[in-house]
Amino acid sequence: MSLAERLARPEVLALAPFDLGPRHGDPFGAETIKLDANENPFPPLGAPGVNRYPEPQPAGLRAAMAALYGVAPEQFLVTRGGDDAIDLLCRTFLRPGEDAVAVCVPTFSAYAHFARLQGARVIEARLEHDFAFNAEGVLAAVQRETNLKLLFVCSPNNPTGTPVDPVDVLRVAEALPDTLVVLDEAYLEFGTAPSLVAEVTQRENLIVLKTLSKAFGLAGARIGGLVGPAELIAMVGRAAPPYPLPTLCIDAAVAALSPARRAVHEERIAQIVAERERLAPLLATSPMVKRVHPSAGNFLFLEVEDAAALAERLQRLCIRVRFRDNAAPGGVRLTVGTRQENDAALRAFEVPAPALPRSRRAEVVRDTRETKIAVAVDLDRAEPRRIDTGLPFFDHMLDQVAAHGGFSLVLSCEGDHQIDAHHSVEDCAIALGSALGQALGERRGIGRFGFALPMDETEAQVLIDLSGRPFSRFDGEFAASHVGAYPTEMTPHVFRSLADSLRAAIHVRVQGENDHHKVEACFKAFGRALRPALAIEGRGDALPSTKGVL
Ligand SMILES: *Cc1c(COP(=O)(O)O)cnc(C)c1O
C-alpha cells in the first residue's frame, strides 16, 4: 500500500478516482456537438467559451505550471489558490476527532484554520528566538503523536519572513516517515534558498505548495497548486470539486506564464527585492520601530513601540498593514509595494523619504497570433537591459537604443521566426514605442526634442520630437538584404512603427558603406536622440509646449 493510501481518509479512498489526466482519446474532437452537460449554447456576450464547463484539471495550465517548477504533470495538481490546496490536504487526510496536524508558530493561519474545520487537532511547535526553525525542537514537540498526518512548514515564513534551511525540512521529513511534510513555498521567488521540488521525486512524504498569487501577481485569479509524488497528487485530486477553476482564471494564468513574459516577471521580482533591501535599514531608523527582521519574502516583519498609536496613524494616512501581535508583541507585517508606495510608508513611520514624482515605468504586453511580446521600460533607471527578440542582431540594436537612451529595457518576444523576422521586428518596435509612450504619461517636464550625429565612416542623423503626433521620415538605402537574420529593409519600418506607437516625429538619415554599421548607427543615434528628449528638465512638471498639451 502506498503512503497516500495508508494516510487517506476511508471516505476519500472509497470515492471513485477522478480522471485528472488530459482528455486523451476523446473520440469526438473539436467539432463535437455538445449536448451532454446541460450547458447553455450561447456564450456570455464578450466572453467566448465561458458557456462551457472548464476542464476539471486544465491540461494546458497543469503542464505550464509543472514545467515552471520542473516536475512532470502527474506530480502537479492545480488548485484554486494555495489556500484551496491546504483545504484539500486537510479534507483528504484528516479524520475528525482522530488525526492531528503540526504547525510551526508563528505562521500562516490557514493551516490551523482548515485543519480545525476538518475536526483535527492542531499541535503547535514554537519557532526559536528570532523565528529560527529548529528541526530537533519541532520533532520533540510532535514525538508523542501517533496520528500526525500533516506537518506544515512555511519557507520563507509568513509573517516573519524567515527562510527555513532545506536541510532541516528534509531532516524532519526523514524522521517522520508516516507524516506528510507540506513545505509552503508561497514566497520562495523573493529569497535565495533553493526550492525543494526536486526532492519530491526522491521521497514519499514531501509535498510542496505553490501559488501564482505572490510572485506572479495573480492573487485575484486564485491559482496555486501542489507538487508531490503522483499517487499522492491523484489522491488529493479526489477531494477536489468537479470544476474548481474558472475558465477566465485558467486563461489569465496561462497567459501570465507565457515564456515571453518571464523576463518582465523576473525584473518585477528583482525590483521588489531591491525595495525590500532599501526599506529594511531605513525602517530600522524609525522612532516607532524597535526591530526589523530580515526577510526573504515580499514583506517585512517589524516590532513596533506602540502598535495602537501606529494603527491610528496609518489609518489616518490611508495605509493598510497587517498587525500580527500573536507573532511578536507589536508585530507588524508590511508588504513591499511600489517605490512610491514604500516612500509613503516610510514617511508614515517618520523616516524622511522624498516625495518622488510619478514613476516613469511602464509595461506593455502584446499578444497576437504572430508574436507574443512583453516589455517593461523605466525612464528613470539605466538598468537592467535584457532583450530577447529571437534575433540576436536586433537584440543588439534595441540594446543600443536603451543604452544610449539611458533607460531600462526588458523585452522578450516569442515570434513566428519560422516564417521570417518581419512580424517580430515590427511588433517589438510597436510594443517598445507604446511602452515608452505610456511611461511618458502626460509628457510633463520632458526635454521633448533630441538629435544626434556621426559614427565612423557612416553618418546617421536622428531628429526626434516627442510631440504626441506621429510622423516618420527615413532617408537611406541598404545594399545587403540581411545582417544576420535581421532584414535591413525592416529598418525604416521599425522607425515608422516607433513613431506611430510613441506618437513622435522621427527623422532618420543615414549614409555610409557598411550596412551593419549603417543599421547600427541608426539605432545608436536614435538612442542618443531619445536621451535628452526623455529627460526631465528643470522643475520637471511643465509641459514643454506653448499649447499646454502634448
Ligand atoms: C499567500 C499565501 C499562500 C497562498 O495564497 P493563495 O492566494 O491562496 O494562493 C499560501 N501560503 C502562504 C504562507 C501565504 O502567505
Side-chain angles (χ1 to χ4, degrees), residues 15 19 84 135 191 196 201 210 213 223 246 263 270 343 433 477 500 547:
L15 289 174
D19 178 13
D84 181 41
L196 276 186
T201 43
K210 292 289 190 181
S213 293
I223 305 286
D343 283 344
E477 309 259 324
D500 286 344
K547 272 194 266 186

Side-chain angles (χ1 to χ4, degrees), residues 81-83 108 111 154 158 184 186-187 209 211 213-214 222:
D83 288 352
F108 190 47
Y111 315 134
C154 186
N158 179 4
D184 185 341
Y187 298 99
L209 189 145
T211 175
S213 293
K214 312 292 167 37
R222 313 303 307 125

Side-chain angles (χ1 to χ4, degrees), residues 386-410:
R386 230 180 110 181
I387 297 147
D388 180 11
T389 63
L391 291 160
F393 180 76
F394 192 47
D395 293 351
H396 181 46
M397 294 303 100
L398 295 182
D399 188 52
Q400 296 292 331
V401 173
H404 288 281
F407 59 90
S408 153
L409 172 61
V410 177

Side-chain angles (χ1 to χ4, degrees), residues 459-501:
E459 265 182 34
Q461 171 183 296
V462 176
L463 306 176
I464 295 182
D465 177 8
L466 300 180
S467 58
R469 298 185 304 278
F471 185 87
S472 128
R473 213 169 94 184
F474 191 95
D475 294 330
E477 309 259 324
F478 300 104
S481 76
H482 284 75
V483 179
Y486 171 84
T488 52
E489 64 166 12
M490 287 306 289
T491 311
H493 216 78
V494 164
F495 289 103
R496 191 166 68 234
S497 299
L498 281 164
D500 286 344
S501 57

Side-chain angles (χ1 to χ4, degrees), residues 450-453 460-464 495 505-509 521-530:
F451 67 96
L453 282 160
Q461 171 183 296
V462 176
L463 306 176
I464 295 182
F495 289 103
I506 303 177
H507 294 204
V508 182
R509 196 154 64 188
C522 291
F523 282 94
K524 260 190 185 150
F526 175 64
R528 274 287 148 187
L530 262 184

